Amino acid sequence: MVDLSQKKLLHLYHSAFFKLFHIPLDWILPDDRTFTLCGHEHCNPLCVKIMGTVEGAKLCRRQTNTRMLQARNTRKAVLSGCHAGFYDLILPIYDHNEYLGSLCAGQFRISSDPADKVDEVAKTLQFMPVSAEEITTYHRNTRVFTPEEIEGLQELLQLIADFICDSYGKSKFLASIANSSQIDNAESYIKRHYTQELTIAKLARMTGMSQSYLIHQFTKQNGISPMQYLTVYRITQAVELLKNSRLSIAEAAFAVGFKNVSSFNRSFRKVTGISPSACRKNPEAVNIGKNP
């Protein structure tokens, strides 16, 4: 059984999609929030620029809401263009009358687009410092799909949806998506507050999980417990301080959240395989592991 709580299956599908088609695949939750299987490095560069502006982000949200409403009301795949001149194919997934979410593959061009498409896009994006020449370059480097290829893309999305729901089960699938989002939140919280005193109780309250369930799900997704993850992250930051600053070993230890130097030294050696002083002399010898 594929462990969806680790997001492995969906990430594997996204990875395969990107390698084959050079377009991202994403999962959209029932409340229309994207699950974000891909990072910005897999998004179309023009889309990244647009979403990086306030006005552009509003346009993207408005359009997502409109086409998601259409997909949910019709229960059919929706192909729609956007202000960047690109297209998305959204497939809503239902189990009888219950809406589970949608698969979305997008940021591509279609072969039937008119020649003056770039001029239209340039007018729409007047709020951005992007020229028609730049837009032309972005479009030229974007994958073009024929009607037949779009039909095949839709069939592939449907096969993925059917496989996920039939082989894994609706309830487990939805629970795993929710759990993964909560664990992602816990990871982000640790990275933002690693210099502070963090406890399992605090992380559990933040994620809305029980302490035991948080530990179980976090370990399942990352291979180490939340507190081990915190230690590894602190040591990673300490390595950067030792490499790039003049802080003493003790100062680096306190800067990343350790309460005493002896504990820092023990953890540092377990995680990196060498001592902090050895790291300062030879940073290339550091090998970050997962055994704090």
Side-chain angles (χ1 to χ4, degrees), residues 29-50:
L29 294 163
D31 61 3
D32 294 345
R33 286 183 296 119
T34 57
F35 185 54
T36 316
L37 299 174
C38 62
H40 277 177
E41 69 274 12
H42 289 159
C43 288
N44 189 287
L46 180 56
C47 294
V48 174
K49 277 196 170 185
I50 294 172

Side-chain angles (χ1 to χ4, degrees), residues 1 28 34 98 117 150 155 208 210 213 218 233 276 292:
M1 181 66 69
I28 301 176
T34 57
E98 183 178 1
K117 189 78 171 182
I150 292 172
E155 291 174 358
S210 70
Y213 193 61
F218 195 103
Y233 191 77

Side-chain angles (χ1 to χ4, degrees), residues 208-236:
M209 293 177 161
S210 70
Q211 295 184 41
S212 59
Y213 193 61
L214 168 64
I215 294 171
H216 174 74
Q217 292 296 328
F218 195 103
T219 305
K220 200 173 184 181
Q221 179 160 313
N222 292 286
I224 54 177
S225 72
M227 291 298 99
Q228 289 173 322
Y229 186 95
L230 171 61
T231 299
V232 172
Y233 191 77
R234 283 174 169 171
I235 295 301
T236 301

Side-chain angles (χ1 to χ4, degrees), residues 5 47 54 57 74 90 105 146 148 174 243 258 261 273 280 291:
S5 67
C47 294
V54 174
T74 62
I90 298 177
T146 65
E148 185 179 18
L174 294 178
K243 287 167 59 176
F258 281 88
V261 178
R280 170 146 277 170
N291 295 304

Side-chain angles (χ1 to χ4, degrees), residues 272-283:
T272 67
I274 62 175
S275 67
S277 57
C279 170
R280 170 146 277 170
K281 293 176 182 177
N282 183 18

Side-chain angles (χ1 to χ4, degrees), residues 228 231-232 234-235 238 242 249 253 258-277 287 289-292:
Q228 289 173 322
T231 299
V232 172
R234 283 174 169 171
I235 295 301
L242 294 175
I249 290 174
F258 281 88
K259 298 300 181 184
N260 60 75
V261 178
S262 60
S263 175
F264 171 71
N265 287 337
R266 286 194 302 271
S267 296
F268 196 99
R269 186 179 290 276
K270 287 182 180 179
V271 173
T272 67
I274 62 175
S275 67
S277 57
N287 180 24
K290 287 190 175 183
N291 295 304

Side-chain angles (χ1 to χ4, degrees), residues 46-47 49-51 53 55-57 59-60 82-86 118-132 134-135 138-139:
L46 180 56
C47 294
K49 277 196 170 185
I50 294 172
M51 290 185 289
T53 67
E55 178 109 9
L59 283 174
C60 291
C82 73
H83 38 271
F86 303 138
V118 170
D119 294 332
E120 294 179 19
V121 173
K123 289 180 181 178
T124 305
L125 300 182
Q126 286 180 346
F127 61 89
M128 286 180 57
V130 58
S131 66
E134 288 179 284
I135 294 172
Y138 286 126
H139 277 223

